[in-house]
Amino acid sequence: MTDMLRSTAADIAAALADGSVTSVEVTQQHLDRIGAVDGEIHAYLHVDAEGALATAADIDRRRGDGESLHGLAGVPIAVKDVLTTTGLPTTCGSKMLEGWIPPYDSTVVAKLKAAGLPILGKTNMDEFAMGSSTEHSAYGPTRNPWDTNRIPGGSGGGSAAAVAAFEAPLAIGTDTGGSIRQPGAVTGTVGVKPTYGGVSRYGLVAMASSLDQAGPVTRTVLDAALLHEVIGGHDPRDSTSLNVPVPPVVAAARRADVAGLRIGVISELGGEGFQPGVRQRFEESIELLAKAGAEIVEVSCPSFVHALAAYYLVMPSEVSSNLAKFDAMRYGLRVMPEGIADPSAEQVMAASRDAGFGDEVKRRIILGTYALSSGYYDAYYGSAQKVRTLIARDFEAAFEQVDVLASPTSPAVAWPLGEKLDDPLAMYAQDIATIPANLAGVPGISLPIGLSEGLPVGMQFLAPAMADDRLYNAAAALERFVAERDGRPFAAQAPELEVAR
């Protein structure tokens, strides 16, 4: 049996199509890998071996019968535990939803099932997607496969770590302020935040409704494009879904040609606060693009300096509103207050929310509730929305000059577990480069471009709304240049886990 663990999803799909391997074999290999290494990595909160193998066996049967199948049919995938899955727990990394099994599939999951991708399980995450390190999960932190004493990014560190540790060839993450791209940067994976509205949010448990977006987590740009094509498209059940065709992302990833492409380097993203090794890898990558015929233009987006402050008013305000439904009355955890014989509804609610939510979630609820309170709404939330408009205008002005924008994805490589837990502002600052795209709704992609201190460094491209194909073209070209420079694909440099030897 061919070992497919380190193969790309595209290569697995080709092997399945030509009959050199079966989906059951590929799925079992990944389940065995999970069994071998996930005790150390903790990428998964729930593994569905039975369901994944059943789907794989069904795909093998249908393929054997000569049925026409989707190109990725039979390729296994992991799903972030913020997307509802019929019959499987969806906890959002929180005690508040411990044991909850949804009665319906999110649209993203429904599309994966329709395409025939076996779902290996649900991945770990910061509670309700609030965090940049996956240390805020109520079920314990995920560890970075490159160094298991370091964080895998967040909030989607579970999906990124699963792909980086070869526990899945594909995964789904969600990106509210960088939660696909920043984990991608620090784990050496490819992460894509599609245009807001380009992928349905139906069944995605909301953190901040105007910012959340599901997207692909993979090891190559082409794999991300193939997965994007599966999950993208209009959904009438999502009022924010765009009724436009999915951009030609797969064709763009295969084109991978930057000759004549105008690439804007954002002057506000890459200076103070960015580690020297991160800046060096980024500058080397820009040189590779220039040598390939891209036109490099320095672009100023002055309002980006206010993006972090605006985000941490808009996002907590929406968190305060969205999480109000977890009131111990309809669903979720219910805790009876101690020492009260006949507690009121308010007392039960207070006890339940105190027990069910972690410190970071409580912090953001308090901040958002304050920002929305009478007398402060205009000063805080209203002002933040005005800054959001200015950021969108900066993007519009920039895209009149260039085709795509570029910056480091994260200001730092993966830091040691626990280093920033007691300093929320230092943690929040790790999203400084990714947040502007969420505030404006434009798409972004992060890909690995090299190492600093022996750890992955990521670079992101940003494009106008619904021009996601530009991201894939530029990123696929740079991915090839980096592989040619290094003499091997980036994923081939991943160290073998001690626990798996």
Side-chain angles (χ1 to χ4, degrees):
M1 180 172 62
T2 306
D3 184 356
M4 304 301 292
L5 281 178
R6 289 180 175 256
S7 299
T8 67
D11 287 344
I12 293 172
L16 289 169
D18 67 23
S20 58
V21 70
T22 68
S23 180
V24 167
E25 290 171 341
V26 173
T27 302
Q28 188 62 60
Q29 286 179 13
H30 284 89
L31 290 169
D32 291 345
R33 175 70 172 178
I34 293 167
V37 307
D38 205 56
E40 176 75 8
I41 300 301
H42 192 38
Y44 286 86
L45 291 177
H46 179 80
V47 177
D48 184 27
E50 182 180 350
L53 289 170
T55 299
D58 180 60
I59 291 298
D60 288 339
R61 177 191 59 78
R62 291 164 59 190
R63 182 171 275 119
D65 290 344
E67 185 176 334
S68 178
L69 300 172
H70 189 279
L72 288 180
V75 180
I77 189 167
V79 175
K80 187 177 181 181
D81 200 31
V82 72
L83 290 153
T84 58
T85 41
T86 303
L88 293 180
T90 299
T91 69
C92 298
S94 178
K95 291 293 184 183
M96 182 61 79
L97 287 176
E98 186 172 17
W100 182 57
I101 298 178
Y104 68 101
D105 283 327
S106 63
T107 295
V108 167
V109 169
K111 288 188 173 188
L112 295 175
K113 289 182 176 180
L117 280 73
I119 296 175
L120 296 166
K122 306 295 288 293
T123 58
N124 198 13
M125 57 183 284
D126 285 299
E127 185 179 6
F128 285 104
M130 298 183 209
S132 302
S133 66
T134 316
E135 293 172 288
H136 293 296
S137 169
Y139 305 101
T142 296
R143 295 175 179 270
N144 192 323
W146 285 79
D147 181 344
T148 55
N149 293 313
R150 293 177 182 265
I151 59 96
S155 63
S159 288
V163 171
F166 305 101
E167 297 180 62
L170 300 169
I172 297 293
T174 62
D175 194 307
T176 304
S179 293
I180 292 175
R181 290 165 290 153
Q182 184 257 5
V186 300
T187 61
T189 53
V190 175
V192 180
K193 185 203 90 69
T195 295
Y196 181 79
V199 174
S200 173
R201 292 189 302 109
Y202 178 77
L204 192 169
V205 180
M207 170 191 169
S209 303
S210 74
L211 302 166
D212 299 337
Q213 186 61 76
V217 179
T218 65
R219 289 193 291 271
T220 70
V221 175
L222 177 58
D223 284 357
L226 292 168
L227 183 53
H228 188 151
E229 200 172 61
V230 173
I231 63 175
H234 178 61
D235 179 10
R237 292 177 296 184
D238 175 5
S239 62
T240 61
S241 177
L242 299 173
N243 192 5
V244 294
V246 178
V249 293
V250 174
R254 290 188 166 129
R255 185 167 66 249
D257 180 10
V258 296
L261 190 72
R262 299 171 301 164
I263 299 175
V265 175
I266 305 170
S267 57
E268 286 78 12
L269 299 179
E272 184 180 352
F274 286 74
Q275 291 179 346
V278 171
R279 292 201 303 268
Q280 183 178 349
R281 295 289 90 78
F282 174 71
E283 290 164 3
E284 291 169 355
S285 298
I286 291 297
E287 289 179 12
L288 290 174
L289 293 163
K291 288 179 181 177
E295 179 186 349
I296 308 301
V297 181
E298 185 167 343
V299 174
S300 177
C301 296
S303 297
F304 282 20
V305 298
H306 305 298
L308 196 67
Y311 175 83
Y312 277 98
L313 285 169
V314 173
M315 175 271 296
S317 297
E318 296 189 18
V319 164
S320 173
S321 175
N322 279 324
L323 269 60
K325 61 178 170 283
F326 298 106
D327 57 8
M329 299 296 124
R330 290 163 288 186
Y331 49 84
L333 181 72
R334 177 179 293 180
V335 173
M336 302 305 290
E338 295 183 5
I340 302 176
D342 187 20
S344 67
E346 288 80 4
Q347 289 169 325
V348 173
M349 185 187 307
S352 300
R353 287 168 71 86
D354 181 49
F357 290 140
D359 289 345
E360 182 61 26
V361 173
K362 292 174 183 174
R363 182 181 294 120
R364 299 193 191 196
I365 289 173
I366 291 169
L367 180 60
T369 303
Y370 181 81
L372 292 176
S373 61
S374 177
Y376 295 100
Y377 180 95
D378 289 334
Y380 293 111
Y381 183 75
S383 295
Q385 290 288 30
K386 292 175 182 176
V387 171
R388 190 174 187 175
T389 299
L390 294 176
I391 289 169
R393 289 175 181 171
D394 278 356
F395 272 116
E396 291 171 4
F399 289 130
E400 289 178 358
Q401 305 174 56
V402 298
D403 301 305
V404 295
L405 295 168
S407 80
T409 308
S410 174
V413 296
W415 59 89
L417 287 160
E419 182 179 272
K420 301 185 191 299
L421 266 180
D422 296 327
D423 189 352
L425 293 181
M427 184 86 77
Y428 298 166
Q430 300 308 306
D431 296 329
I432 190 169
T434 52
I435 280 172
N438 297 86
L439 289 172
V442 303
I445 186 171
S446 176
L447 74 155
I449 55 173
L451 302 176
S452 174
E453 305 172 31
L455 297 166
V457 174
M459 172 171 164
Q460 73 169 347
F461 289 105
L462 306 172
M466 292 312 297
D468 303 51
D469 51 312
R470 296 188 195 178
L471 301 177
Y472 286 97
N473 175 51
L478 179 56
E479 179 181 58
R480 187 178 77 246
F481 304 151
V482 169
E484 290 171 351
R485 179 196 67 193
D486 297 342
R488 54 181 175 169
F490 186 86
Q493 302 179 47
E496 184 56 77
L497 294 165
E498 292 289 340
V499 291
R501 285 182 178 171

